[in-house]
Amino acid sequence: MMKLRLKLFFSLIVLFYSLLAAQQNPSFKIKDGQFLLNGKPVEIRSGEMHYPRVPKEYWKHRLMMMKAMGLNAVASYVFWNYHEETPGKWDWSGQKDLKAFIKTAKEVGLYVILRPGPYICGEWEFGGYPWWLQNVKGLKIREDNEPFLSANKKYLTELYNQVKDLQITKGGPIIMVQAENEFGLFAYQRKDISDESHQSYLNKIVKQIKDVGFDVPMYTSDVTDFFSGGHVEDALPGGNGEKDINKLKMVVNQYNNNKGPYMIAEFYPGWLTHWGEGFPRTRTEDIVKLTKDFLSKGISFNYYMIHGGTNFGFTSGANYNKEHDILPDLTSYDYDAPISEAGWRTPKYDSLRMVLAKYTKEKLPDVPAAVKVIRINNIRFKNLYNAFSYAQTQEKVKAEKPLTFEELDQGYGYVLYQHHFDEAIKGKLDVSGLRDFATVYVNGRKIGELNRFYNSYTLPVDIPKNSDLQILVENWGRINYDAQINQNTKGIISPVKINDQNITGIWEMTKLPFPDRFSSNIKAKPLSQQEYPTLKDVPAIYQGEFDLQEAGDTFIDMQNWGKGLVFINGKNLGRFWKVGPQQTLYIPGVWMKQGKNEIIIFDQLNGRVQSSVNTLDKPILNDLTR
């Protein structure tokens, strides 16, 4: 009897220390066809949210909303070009503090799925790649190419040094890392590259991820029809957008030793939107039904997006389309997601929460209250500037041909191209190399618009003797999806012609990057009120101030404006364009303050002079005017 008691005692001691070790050394593994969290089977119920698209001050609020919905993980891309804007200069601070984002997720009680790419797509400028990679001699992105692989290794090393202690193996919340992104689809699109070369590239990316130190399970994310080109050994294949559970299981089994676990790596509760097309809506009842199916059959999933946020500044990308040549993405990344752009719970959120609550053991937390919303009426403008006058104060470059943004060492914004004609000329102006939108002037007088979206590259010109042709070009965002991602230089990328003859001689290019923190320190003379009528159809800069008793979220109403940018206290809210469907821009309340605030609007089209602007308490995201 004594021996039996001692045996039981020591068994309890072993069990106690085993449980203690499990608590002190948490683990996440893919084993025996299951996800195992601390040795116990678990299903992933994740939502996608991107730290650059949500003000840092709101991260915790949005993550708490995810937790209150019944999710147990958050997934996020890592945005290489967000952290290395110029070669070798890394920024992981403030809004770019990925480490703080991950720690906040842990604080809220969510695990983290990291998606470092290097290619992310995500309707993000250049699919996450730094624009300046295109200036590196011999470099080809997404190919088995030494200059690219060398740059990528540096990126992954920098990333790992930021998050290495936040892996679950070190007590952090990161449970999985994705290898590349939808590479099978890309391999299918790039038939000009051999399957062997594609696989060699993919294997080297995976090896780099492992070599820098990541030691949590790895997975891939692809449309199930293209698993063959995107699968790598020892990585769980995850299906994107798959609704057929039997098909998902069949394809995963084919590439994962005939077993699970099974995961929808991107489960779409909404969809993306481009300028010039209607805002798509995804039926709540369809998403609820699919969610019920996945939960009842043990399928893990990641809602893409659970909360989209905003493409602030110049971060929105574009898709390629043969009909339109380019499909630029909206500033709003609302995505018709369960949590709206401004962080509001939606009927879709409430419906999904009710379903998830039935599959969650513990009671769900209360849903956090929404951030206060305000309206600001009659914001008056103090100063108006002719943008051509502003351009006179900016850096200029002269060359024998139009130079691209990349050749000018400029990533984003606008470039003013100018050529002087000693003799008169008349005929058809052809800017087939336009990337992407331009307004055209002769001696500062507008004669037309050119537009890559509408395949509009020509217009008639009548240029007098001793006159200047001016072409103000906007970079709309580099292509983030399709094989055309490899052809992504901006500005004017080929000779400008009149009557099919190249314009020869000197071009003067003025760089207009409109950097973040753009403020009232505009080095140009404001116009007098008597000069205001001269601004019609001339690109203009409006500057004003407004006082607030209390800050709050709001939406600036741009329905009466043309095309351009809005800055609040130096923060670039993003692009607006009168064609819609987006007619408002989201202003986070945390970017304003009690007391005096500044607003600057750049309008490239400027059909008529504006005296004021208002904000609304609701966004307008589905109003097409063309």
Side-chain angles (χ1 to χ4, degrees), residues 141-361:
I141 64 170
R142 266 194 135 179
E143 295 184 23
D144 188 358
N145 175 267
E146 182 53 37
F148 175 76
L149 290 170
S150 176
N152 187 64
K153 183 68 174 289
K154 293 175 183 176
Y155 155 60
L156 290 173
T157 301
E158 288 285 338
L159 169 61
Y160 179 73
N161 287 335
Q162 291 294 316
V163 304
K164 60 184 178 183
D165 295 331
L166 298 174
Q167 298 179 96
I168 195 167
T169 50
K170 307 294 192 301
I174 300 174
I175 56 173
M176 285 201 299
V177 171
Q178 182 181 316
E180 240 278 351
N181 187 43
E182 297 184 328
F183 190 76
L185 180 57
F186 179 75
Y188 174 80
Q189 293 169 336
R190 290 295 305 274
K191 294 296 187 182
D192 56 315
I193 300 175
S194 69
D195 291 343
E196 292 77 15
S197 182
H198 279 313
Q199 196 61 48
S200 174
Y201 162 79
L202 190 54
N203 288 337
K204 288 178 180 178
I205 294 296
V206 171
K207 185 175 186 301
Q208 286 186 344
I209 293 172
K210 292 178 178 178
D211 285 350
V212 299
F214 284 104
D215 60 357
V216 294
M218 195 177 297
Y219 77 105
T220 58
S221 178
D222 233 314
V223 178
T224 51
D225 289 341
F226 302 104
F227 270 13
S228 60
H231 172 65
V232 292
E233 191 175 353
D234 297 327
L236 175 73
N240 287 359
E242 187 57 68
K243 300 177 182 179
D244 186 334
I245 293 175
N246 290 330
K247 181 178 179 181
L248 174 72
K249 289 184 174 181
M250 179 186 70
V251 179
V252 170
N253 288 344
Q254 182 180 351
Y255 293 98
N256 197 43
N257 300 318
N258 205 36
K259 59 186 177 183
Y262 308 103
M263 180 174 176
I264 306 297
E266 291 187 0
F267 174 10
Y268 306 116
W271 197 244
L272 61 99
T273 317
H274 304 114
W275 291 106
E277 66 182 25
F279 189 89
R281 296 289 181 184
T282 304
R283 288 172 16 122
T284 295
E285 49 265 45
D286 294 340
I287 301 305
V288 167
K289 182 181 183 301
L290 268 175
T291 299
K292 288 179 177 178
D293 288 346
F294 294 154
L295 289 168
S296 65
K297 295 176 183 177
I299 305 298
S300 292
F301 55 81
N302 173 48
Y303 289 117
Y304 187 102
M305 301 290 297
I306 195 68
H307 172 46
T310 310
N311 293 316
F312 295 114
F314 298 117
T315 59
S316 59
N319 287 335
Y320 174 75
N321 179 284
K322 289 183 179 179
E323 178 183 354
H324 291 288
D325 196 24
I326 193 173
L327 294 169
D329 297 308
L330 289 189
T331 297
S332 172
Y333 202 56
D334 178 89
Y335 215 86
D336 193 28
I339 303 171
S340 78
E341 177 182 14
W344 301 344
R345 63 192 292 181
T346 64
K348 190 179 293 182
Y349 175 96
D350 289 332
S351 297
L352 292 172
R353 184 172 187 259
M354 288 178 62
V355 174
L356 287 160
K358 297 176 182 179
Y359 289 84
T360 304
K361 294 179 181 179

Side-chain angles (χ1 to χ4, degrees), residues 31 331 342 362 384 441 496 537:
K31 187 178 180 181
T331 297
E362 67 273 10
L384 275 68
Y441 310 83
V496 178
D537 291 331

